[in-house]
mmCIF file of all heavy atoms in Angstrom:
data_model
loop_
_atom_site.group_PDB
_atom_site.id
_atom_site.type_symbol
_atom_site.label_atom_id
_atom_site.label_comp_id
_atom_site.label_asym_id
_atom_site.label_seq_id
_atom_site.Cartn_x
_atom_site.Cartn_y
_atom_site.Cartn_z
ATOM 1 N N ALA A 62 29.198 -191.601 33.090
ATOM 2 C CA ALA A 62 29.037 -192.633 32.113
ATOM 3 C C ALA A 62 29.046 -191.935 30.715
ATOM 4 O O ALA A 62 28.078 -191.391 30.203
ATOM 5 C CB ALA A 62 27.739 -193.369 32.298
ATOM 6 N N LYS A 64 29.078 -192.619 27.626
ATOM 7 C CA LYS A 64 28.260 -192.969 26.460
ATOM 8 C C LYS A 64 27.138 -191.975 26.335
ATOM 9 O O LYS A 64 26.604 -191.833 25.217
ATOM 10 C CB LYS A 64 27.681 -194.466 26.696
ATOM 11 C CG LYS A 64 26.632 -194.544 27.790
ATOM 12 C CD LYS A 64 26.624 -195.978 28.364
ATOM 13 C CE LYS A 64 27.730 -196.071 29.377
ATOM 14 N NZ LYS A 64 27.784 -197.391 30.018
ATOM 15 N N ALA A 65 26.695 -191.264 27.379
ATOM 16 C CA ALA A 65 25.622 -190.371 27.381
ATOM 17 C C ALA A 65 25.927 -189.220 26.390
ATOM 18 O O ALA A 65 25.077 -188.701 25.672
ATOM 19 C CB ALA A 65 25.221 -189.899 28.747
ATOM 20 N N ASP A 83 33.244 -193.556 32.972
ATOM 21 C CA ASP A 83 32.969 -194.885 32.509
ATOM 22 C C ASP A 83 33.082 -194.862 30.979
ATOM 23 O O ASP A 83 32.536 -193.941 30.346
ATOM 24 C CB ASP A 83 31.639 -195.309 33.085
ATOM 25 C CG ASP A 83 30.716 -196.141 32.175
ATOM 26 O OD1 ASP A 83 31.052 -196.453 30.969
ATOM 27 O OD2 ASP A 83 29.593 -196.449 32.608
ATOM 28 N N HIS A 106 33.874 -200.501 30.616
ATOM 29 C CA HIS A 106 32.787 -201.386 30.423
ATOM 30 C C HIS A 106 32.788 -202.062 29.077
ATOM 31 O O HIS A 106 33.635 -201.793 28.242
ATOM 32 C CB HIS A 106 31.450 -200.661 30.670
ATOM 33 C CG HIS A 106 31.138 -200.425 32.082
ATOM 34 N ND1 HIS A 106 30.470 -201.292 32.888
ATOM 35 C CD2 HIS A 106 31.400 -199.414 32.896
ATOM 36 C CE1 HIS A 106 30.298 -200.848 34.112
ATOM 37 N NE2 HIS A 106 30.927 -199.704 34.115
ATOM 38 N N ARG A 153 31.153 -207.407 36.743
ATOM 39 C CA ARG A 153 29.827 -206.932 36.549
ATOM 40 C C ARG A 153 28.820 -208.069 36.854
ATOM 41 O O ARG A 153 28.855 -209.148 36.157
ATOM 42 C CB ARG A 153 29.627 -206.424 35.180
ATOM 43 C CG ARG A 153 28.184 -205.915 35.012
ATOM 44 C CD ARG A 153 27.946 -205.074 33.699
ATOM 45 N NE ARG A 153 26.590 -204.689 33.628
ATOM 46 C CZ ARG A 153 26.146 -203.820 32.834
ATOM 47 N NH1 ARG A 153 26.986 -203.175 32.055
ATOM 48 N NH2 ARG A 153 24.842 -203.436 32.809
ATOM 49 N N TYR A 163 12.041 -198.852 29.886
ATOM 50 C CA TYR A 163 11.663 -199.569 28.688
ATOM 51 C C TYR A 163 12.741 -200.641 28.390
ATOM 52 O O TYR A 163 13.902 -200.610 28.908
ATOM 53 C CB TYR A 163 11.639 -198.586 27.481
ATOM 54 C CG TYR A 163 12.643 -197.443 27.481
ATOM 55 C CD1 TYR A 163 13.797 -197.549 26.787
ATOM 56 C CD2 TYR A 163 12.345 -196.345 28.283
ATOM 57 C CE1 TYR A 163 14.699 -196.555 26.775
ATOM 58 C CE2 TYR A 163 13.268 -195.342 28.237
ATOM 59 C CZ TYR A 163 14.457 -195.404 27.573
ATOM 60 O OH TYR A 163 15.377 -194.422 27.629
ATOM 61 N N ALA A 165 14.884 -201.792 26.202
ATOM 62 C CA ALA A 165 16.292 -201.613 25.682
ATOM 63 C C ALA A 165 17.241 -201.108 26.766
ATOM 64 O O ALA A 165 18.468 -201.332 26.537
ATOM 65 C CB ALA A 165 16.246 -200.667 24.495
ATOM 66 N N VAL A 166 16.770 -200.530 27.764
ATOM 67 C CA VAL A 166 17.673 -200.049 28.782
ATOM 68 C C VAL A 166 17.458 -200.715 30.156
ATOM 69 O O VAL A 166 17.982 -200.253 31.107
ATOM 70 C CB VAL A 166 17.571 -198.439 28.967
ATOM 71 C CG1 VAL A 166 17.930 -197.777 27.697
ATOM 72 C CG2 VAL A 166 16.209 -198.070 29.415
ATOM 73 N N THR A 168 18.729 -203.491 32.233
ATOM 74 C CA THR A 168 20.009 -204.201 32.045
ATOM 75 C C THR A 168 20.321 -205.103 33.260
ATOM 76 O O THR A 168 21.283 -205.875 33.285
ATOM 77 C CB THR A 168 21.124 -203.253 31.849
ATOM 78 O OG1 THR A 168 21.125 -202.181 32.779
ATOM 79 C CG2 THR A 168 21.153 -202.727 30.467
ATOM 80 N N PHE A 175 24.199 -208.387 29.673
ATOM 81 C CA PHE A 175 25.252 -207.821 30.409
ATOM 82 C C PHE A 175 25.593 -208.569 31.681
ATOM 83 O O PHE A 175 24.593 -209.096 32.397
ATOM 84 C CB PHE A 175 24.981 -206.375 30.778
ATOM 85 C CG PHE A 175 24.839 -205.493 29.699
ATOM 86 C CD1 PHE A 175 23.556 -205.075 29.207
ATOM 87 C CD2 PHE A 175 25.971 -204.989 28.886
ATOM 88 C CE1 PHE A 175 23.430 -204.293 28.121
ATOM 89 C CE2 PHE A 175 25.822 -204.167 27.844
ATOM 90 C CZ PHE A 175 24.561 -203.796 27.423
ATOM 91 N N HIS A 203 30.274 -204.775 40.495
ATOM 92 C CA HIS A 203 29.514 -203.763 39.835
ATOM 93 C C HIS A 203 28.142 -204.312 39.460
ATOM 94 O O HIS A 203 27.942 -205.486 39.125
ATOM 95 C CB HIS A 203 30.252 -203.307 38.570
ATOM 96 C CG HIS A 203 29.383 -202.517 37.706
ATOM 97 N ND1 HIS A 203 28.432 -203.007 36.771
ATOM 98 C CD2 HIS A 203 29.339 -201.186 37.455
ATOM 99 C CE1 HIS A 203 27.806 -202.070 36.142
ATOM 100 N NE2 HIS A 203 28.391 -200.864 36.517
ATOM 101 N N HIS A 205 24.464 -202.619 37.308
ATOM 102 C CA HIS A 205 23.829 -201.530 36.734
ATOM 103 C C HIS A 205 22.394 -202.024 36.427
ATOM 104 O O HIS A 205 22.259 -202.994 35.629
ATOM 105 C CB HIS A 205 24.516 -201.003 35.432
ATOM 106 C CG HIS A 205 23.701 -199.967 34.718
ATOM 107 N ND1 HIS A 205 23.662 -198.678 35.171
ATOM 108 C CD2 HIS A 205 22.940 -200.053 33.623
ATOM 109 C CE1 HIS A 205 22.866 -198.015 34.240
ATOM 110 N NE2 HIS A 205 22.379 -198.790 33.388
ATOM 111 N N GLY A 207 19.390 -200.369 35.459
ATOM 112 C CA GLY A 207 18.626 -199.892 34.294
ATOM 113 C C GLY A 207 18.842 -198.388 34.082
ATOM 114 O O GLY A 207 19.565 -197.803 34.861
ATOM 115 N N SER A 208 18.148 -197.828 33.143
ATOM 116 C CA SER A 208 18.377 -196.484 32.864
ATOM 117 C C SER A 208 17.085 -195.693 32.942
ATOM 118 O O SER A 208 16.029 -196.266 32.672
ATOM 119 C CB SER A 208 19.051 -196.256 31.405
ATOM 120 O OG SER A 208 19.713 -195.032 31.297
ATOM 121 N N ASN A 209 17.121 -194.431 33.219
ATOM 122 C CA ASN A 209 15.915 -193.540 33.447
ATOM 123 C C ASN A 209 15.038 -194.144 34.457
ATOM 124 O O ASN A 209 13.838 -194.215 34.372
ATOM 125 C CB ASN A 209 15.275 -193.330 32.088
ATOM 126 C CG ASN A 209 14.593 -191.948 32.070
ATOM 127 O OD1 ASN A 209 15.026 -190.981 32.731
ATOM 128 N ND2 ASN A 209 13.464 -191.770 31.287
ATOM 129 N N GLY A 244 26.380 -198.511 39.721
ATOM 130 C CA GLY A 244 25.888 -198.204 38.324
ATOM 131 C C GLY A 244 25.276 -196.851 38.276
ATOM 132 O O GLY A 244 25.437 -195.989 39.176
ATOM 133 N N GLY A 245 24.624 -196.587 37.117
ATOM 134 C CA GLY A 245 23.956 -195.270 36.917
ATOM 135 C C GLY A 245 22.506 -195.538 36.889
ATOM 136 O O GLY A 245 21.994 -196.465 37.383
ATOM 137 N N GLY A 246 21.774 -194.535 36.262
ATOM 138 C CA GLY A 246 20.451 -194.848 36.001
ATOM 139 C C GLY A 246 19.422 -193.876 36.520
ATOM 140 O O GLY A 246 18.189 -194.091 36.181
ATOM 141 N N TYR A 247 19.762 -192.884 37.270
ATOM 142 C CA TYR A 247 18.671 -191.988 37.749
ATOM 143 C C TYR A 247 17.936 -191.271 36.578
ATOM 144 O O TYR A 247 18.625 -190.871 35.632
ATOM 145 C CB TYR A 247 19.185 -190.959 38.729
ATOM 146 C CG TYR A 247 19.427 -191.496 40.165
ATOM 147 C CD1 TYR A 247 20.646 -191.667 40.672
ATOM 148 C CD2 TYR A 247 18.296 -191.883 40.881
ATOM 149 C CE1 TYR A 247 20.838 -192.190 41.982
ATOM 150 C CE2 TYR A 247 18.414 -192.401 42.172
ATOM 151 C CZ TYR A 247 19.692 -192.625 42.691
ATOM 152 O OH TYR A 247 19.872 -193.166 43.905
ATOM 153 N N TYR A 251 11.854 -185.122 31.229
ATOM 154 C CA TYR A 251 11.736 -184.778 29.799
ATOM 155 C C TYR A 251 10.547 -183.894 29.573
ATOM 156 O O TYR A 251 10.575 -183.108 28.538
ATOM 157 C CB TYR A 251 11.689 -186.024 28.879
ATOM 158 C CG TYR A 251 12.978 -186.734 28.787
ATOM 159 C CD1 TYR A 251 13.239 -187.961 29.487
ATOM 160 C CD2 TYR A 251 13.993 -186.305 27.953
ATOM 161 C CE1 TYR A 251 14.502 -188.570 29.406
ATOM 162 C CE2 TYR A 251 15.215 -186.970 27.855
ATOM 163 C CZ TYR A 251 15.458 -188.138 28.532
ATOM 164 O OH TYR A 251 16.689 -188.731 28.381
ATOM 165 N N GLU A 288 27.691 -194.369 38.664
ATOM 166 C CA GLU A 288 27.978 -194.083 37.257
ATOM 167 C C GLU A 288 26.908 -193.365 36.563
ATOM 168 O O GLU A 288 26.306 -193.831 35.578
ATOM 169 C CB GLU A 288 28.180 -195.337 36.522
ATOM 170 C CG GLU A 288 29.373 -196.122 36.855
ATOM 171 C CD GLU A 288 29.359 -197.562 36.293
ATOM 172 O OE1 GLU A 288 28.303 -197.907 35.721
ATOM 173 O OE2 GLU A 288 30.331 -198.285 36.409
ATOM 174 N N PRO A 289 26.556 -192.218 36.989
ATOM 175 C CA PRO A 289 25.483 -191.470 36.252
ATOM 176 C C PRO A 289 25.944 -190.972 34.839
ATOM 177 O O PRO A 289 27.070 -190.490 34.690
ATOM 178 C CB PRO A 289 25.198 -190.240 37.181
ATOM 179 C CG PRO A 289 26.493 -189.966 37.888
ATOM 180 C CD PRO A 289 27.107 -191.351 38.015
ATOM 181 N N GLY A 290 24.999 -191.082 33.891
ATOM 182 C CA GLY A 290 25.299 -190.521 32.561
ATOM 183 C C GLY A 290 24.274 -189.470 32.259
ATOM 184 O O GLY A 290 24.432 -188.255 32.264
ATOM 185 N N ARG A 291 23.028 -190.010 31.997
ATOM 186 C CA ARG A 291 21.878 -189.150 31.655
ATOM 187 C C ARG A 291 21.669 -188.006 32.527
ATOM 188 O O ARG A 291 21.506 -186.822 32.062
ATOM 189 C CB ARG A 291 20.584 -190.048 31.635
ATOM 190 C CG ARG A 291 19.406 -189.294 31.064
ATOM 191 C CD ARG A 291 18.183 -190.229 31.315
ATOM 192 N NE ARG A 291 18.329 -191.680 30.944
ATOM 193 C CZ ARG A 291 18.114 -192.148 29.763
ATOM 194 N NH1 ARG A 291 17.590 -191.328 28.844
ATOM 195 N NH2 ARG A 291 18.312 -193.432 29.499
ATOM 196 N N SER A 292 21.676 -188.229 33.854
ATOM 197 C CA SER A 292 21.320 -187.107 34.803
ATOM 198 C C SER A 292 22.499 -186.121 34.907
ATOM 199 O O SER A 292 22.366 -185.095 35.580
ATOM 200 C CB SER A 292 20.976 -187.706 36.173
ATOM 201 O OG SER A 292 22.038 -188.571 36.579
ATOM 202 N N ARG A 328 15.930 -191.143 19.468
ATOM 203 C CA ARG A 328 15.397 -191.736 20.689
ATOM 204 C C ARG A 328 13.909 -191.923 20.575
ATOM 205 O O ARG A 328 13.332 -192.832 21.191
ATOM 206 C CB ARG A 328 15.639 -190.898 21.911
ATOM 207 C CG ARG A 328 17.257 -190.926 22.229
ATOM 208 C CD ARG A 328 17.584 -190.376 23.574
ATOM 209 N NE ARG A 328 17.146 -191.225 24.663
ATOM 210 C CZ ARG A 328 16.147 -191.046 25.396
ATOM 211 N NH1 ARG A 328 15.440 -189.908 25.229
ATOM 212 N NH2 ARG A 328 15.872 -191.863 26.295
ATOM 213 N N TYR A 332 12.774 -195.595 21.086
ATOM 214 C CA TYR A 332 12.079 -195.917 22.415
ATOM 215 C C TYR A 332 10.844 -195.157 22.696
ATOM 216 O O TYR A 332 10.320 -195.228 23.799
ATOM 217 C CB TYR A 332 13.021 -195.472 23.584
ATOM 218 C CG TYR A 332 14.562 -195.686 23.435
ATOM 219 C CD1 TYR A 332 15.389 -194.603 23.393
ATOM 220 C CD2 TYR A 332 15.008 -196.994 23.340
ATOM 221 C CE1 TYR A 332 16.789 -194.806 23.287
ATOM 222 C CE2 TYR A 332 16.369 -197.222 23.207
ATOM 223 C CZ TYR A 332 17.275 -196.144 23.152
ATOM 224 O OH TYR A 332 18.626 -196.348 23.093
ATOM 225 N N SER A 334 10.610 -192.049 23.118
ATOM 226 C CA SER A 334 10.934 -191.223 24.255
ATOM 227 C C SER A 334 10.153 -189.868 24.240
ATOM 228 O O SER A 334 10.141 -189.262 23.073
ATOM 229 C CB SER A 334 12.299 -190.911 24.263
ATOM 230 O OG SER A 334 13.073 -192.101 24.438
ATOM 231 N N ALA A 387 21.654 -185.887 26.678
ATOM 232 C CA ALA A 387 22.047 -187.268 26.734
ATOM 233 C C ALA A 387 21.550 -188.100 25.660
ATOM 234 O O ALA A 387 20.424 -188.051 25.275
ATOM 235 C CB ALA A 387 21.555 -187.862 28.099
ATOM 236 N N TYR A 388 22.436 -188.989 25.159
ATOM 237 C CA TYR A 388 22.076 -190.007 24.106
ATOM 238 C C TYR A 388 21.488 -189.314 22.919
ATOM 239 O O TYR A 388 20.605 -189.940 22.254
ATOM 240 C CB TYR A 388 21.158 -191.076 24.694
ATOM 241 C CG TYR A 388 21.720 -191.706 25.938
ATOM 242 C CD1 TYR A 388 21.270 -191.536 27.225
ATOM 243 C CD2 TYR A 388 22.898 -192.608 25.838
ATOM 244 C CE1 TYR A 388 21.819 -192.126 28.302
ATOM 245 C CE2 TYR A 388 23.426 -193.127 26.985
ATOM 246 C CZ TYR A 388 22.867 -192.969 28.177
ATOM 247 O OH TYR A 388 23.487 -193.506 29.316
ATOM 248 N N MET A 392 24.405 -190.651 19.928
ATOM 249 C CA MET A 392 23.743 -191.694 19.119
ATOM 250 C C MET A 392 23.413 -191.118 17.677
ATOM 251 O O MET A 392 22.647 -191.824 16.922
ATOM 252 C CB MET A 392 22.442 -192.121 19.800
ATOM 253 C CG MET A 392 22.736 -192.927 21.039
ATOM 254 S SD MET A 392 21.238 -193.328 21.910
ATOM 255 C CE MET A 392 20.556 -194.647 20.990
HETATM 256 N N1 LIG B 1 26.673 -197.601 33.801
HETATM 257 C C1 LIG B 1 26.393 -198.646 32.899
HETATM 258 C C2 LIG B 1 27.103 -199.939 32.990
HETATM 259 C C3 LIG B 1 25.406 -198.443 31.845
HETATM 260 O O1 LIG B 1 25.249 -199.365 30.970
HETATM 261 C C4 LIG B 1 24.788 -197.196 31.720
HETATM 262 C C5 LIG B 1 23.922 -196.956 30.652
HETATM 263 C C6 LIG B 1 25.197 -196.162 32.648
HETATM 264 C C7 LIG B 1 26.078 -196.456 33.661
HETATM 265 C C8 LIG B 1 24.529 -194.890 32.580
HETATM 266 O O2 LIG B 1 23.168 -194.839 32.841
HETATM 267 P P1 LIG B 1 22.395 -193.499 32.932
HETATM 268 O O3 LIG B 1 22.778 -192.785 34.135
HETATM 269 O O4 LIG B 1 22.760 -192.661 31.700
HETATM 270 O O5 LIG B 1 20.964 -193.898 32.892
HETATM 271 N N2 LIG B 1 20.544 -195.119 24.796
HETATM 272 C C9 LIG B 1 19.621 -195.194 25.812
HETATM 273 C C10 LIG B 1 20.211 -195.383 27.161
HETATM 274 C C11 LIG B 1 21.198 -196.571 27.246
HETATM 275 C C12 LIG B 1 21.830 -196.637 28.533
HETATM 276 C C13 LIG B 1 22.822 -197.691 28.567
HETATM 277 N N3 LIG B 1 23.616 -197.791 29.805
HETATM 278 C C14 LIG B 1 18.662 -193.975 25.796
HETATM 279 O O6 LIG B 1 18.897 -193.165 24.930
HETATM 280 O O7 LIG B 1 17.850 -193.831 26.674
#
Side-chain angles (χ1 to χ4, degrees):
K64 71 207 81 181
D83 143 359
H106 280 273
R153 178 168 181 167
Y163 39 98
V166 295
T168 46
F175 297 103
H203 167 278
H205 173 76
S208 200
N209 212 26
Y247 281 113
Y251 286 102
E288 289 167 354
R291 188 189 310 270
S292 50
R328 296 192 68 256
Y332 322 117
S334 299
Y388 304 111
M392 293 175 76

